[in-house]
């Protein structure tokens, strides 16, 4: 049974037209570390959290202040929201987490959801930054950013697969990145 998720926003959020970055770990903690690095020194503020009875009971301390293990940060100037988590979520819950993030992005009128994911790539593709996009608009953004669009390959995470396949149920541009 999918977990019941509590998404609690503690401050008003305005990132209309901006991006949501998925900082949930997929394989290892690369996504979580990358999200934290992105936010460091860029004026992101804590605006909410995600909790569930199915999540491990863990608190994260930052500057001595305890917080939920899955947090929502926003930079209103850049119009970027970040779901940041160090929880390794049970794979059976990945689809629910992905849907929750997509609905949150829709609620806040984000134009794009960005996620990193392990991908099975050819040897030639492993030498470049490559991304998969769920819509023609997402694939255009990938090209305009100087990245290659994944033409053939697999994305092996339920969460990222659900995000990419979401266009049939939720109209959102989603892309998954694989850095060289």
């Amino acid at each position: 049974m999918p977990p019941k998720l509590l998404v609690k926003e503690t401050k008003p959020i305005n990132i209309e037209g901006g991006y949501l970055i998925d900082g949930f770990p997929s394989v290892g903690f690369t996504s979580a570390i990358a999200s934290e690095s992105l936010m460091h020194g860029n004026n992101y503020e804590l605006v909410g959290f995600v909790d569930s009875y199915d999540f491990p009971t863990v608190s994260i301390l930052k500057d001595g202040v305890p917080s939920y293990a899955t947090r929502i940060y926003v930079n209103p100037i850049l119009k970027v929201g970040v779901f940041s988590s160090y929880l390794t979520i049970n794979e059976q819950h990945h689809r629910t987490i992905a849907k929750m993030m997509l609905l949150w992005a829709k609620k806040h009128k984000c134009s794009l959801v960005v996620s990193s994911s392990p991908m099975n790539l050819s040897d030639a593709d492993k030498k470049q930054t490559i991304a998969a996009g769920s819509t023609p608009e997402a694939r255009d953004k990938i090209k305009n950013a100087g990245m290659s669009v994944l033409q053939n390959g697999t994305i092996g995470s339920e969460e990222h697969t659900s995000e990419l396949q979401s266009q049939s149920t939720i109209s959102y541009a989603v892309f998954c990145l694989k850095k060289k």
Side-chain angles (χ1 to χ4, degrees):
M1 177 164 194
K4 291 193 179 204
L5 301 172
L6 168 69
V7 180
K8 176 69 175 164
E9 296 174 4
T10 57
K11 295 182 179 181
I13 298 168
N14 179 5
I15 56 171
E16 185 174 339
Y19 297 169
L20 171 62
I21 296 174
D22 168 7
F24 277 91
S26 53
V27 175
F29 290 100
T30 307
S31 298
I33 293 167
S35 298
E36 287 287 329
S37 296
L38 171 84
M39 292 185 298
H40 184 73
N42 286 313
N43 297 318
Y44 280 81
E45 60 181 303
L46 180 64
V47 297
F49 60 88
V50 180
D51 199 16
S52 172
Y53 286 111
D54 293 321
F55 287 178
T57 52
V58 176
S59 288
I60 301 294
L61 282 96
K62 191 166 188 176
D63 298 325
V65 179
S67 183
Y68 288 85
T70 301
R71 298 151 323 278
I72 306 168
Y73 292 93
V74 164
N75 182 317
I77 295 166
L78 297 175
K79 296 208 176 279
V80 176
V82 178
F83 277 76
S84 177
S85 181
Y86 281 96
L87 292 179
T88 304
I89 304 297
N90 189 314
E91 194 169 317
Q92 69 184 9
H93 301 321
H94 285 190
R95 188 177 298 257
T96 304
I97 298 286
K99 185 173 183 181
M100 175 269 304
M101 284 190 293
L102 291 167
L103 290 172
W104 189 91
K106 185 174 184 176
K107 173 184 174 185
H108 292 287
K109 301 178 180 163
C110 296
S111 65
L112 186 69
V113 177
V114 179
S115 183
S116 65
S117 173
M119 296 182 196
N120 296 324
L121 303 170
S122 69
D123 287 338
D125 286 339
K126 289 179 182 177
K127 297 176 182 166
Q128 57 188 321
T129 302
I130 194 164
S134 64
T135 64
E137 295 82 11
R139 290 186 289 277
D140 285 344
K141 286 183 183 203
I142 292 166
K143 291 174 194 170
N144 292 338
M147 295 180 281
S148 297
V149 176
L150 178 64
Q151 297 299 315
N152 300 294
T154 59
I155 297 173
S157 162
E158 174 70 34
E159 179 183 353
H160 300 99
T161 301
S162 296
E163 289 172 350
L164 283 169
Q165 294 172 348
S166 69
Q167 67 175 350
S168 61
T169 57
I170 301 169
S171 179
Y172 262 87
V174 176
F175 68 81
C176 290
L177 296 171
K178 166 65 175 148
K179 179 120 173 78
K180 52 183 167 180

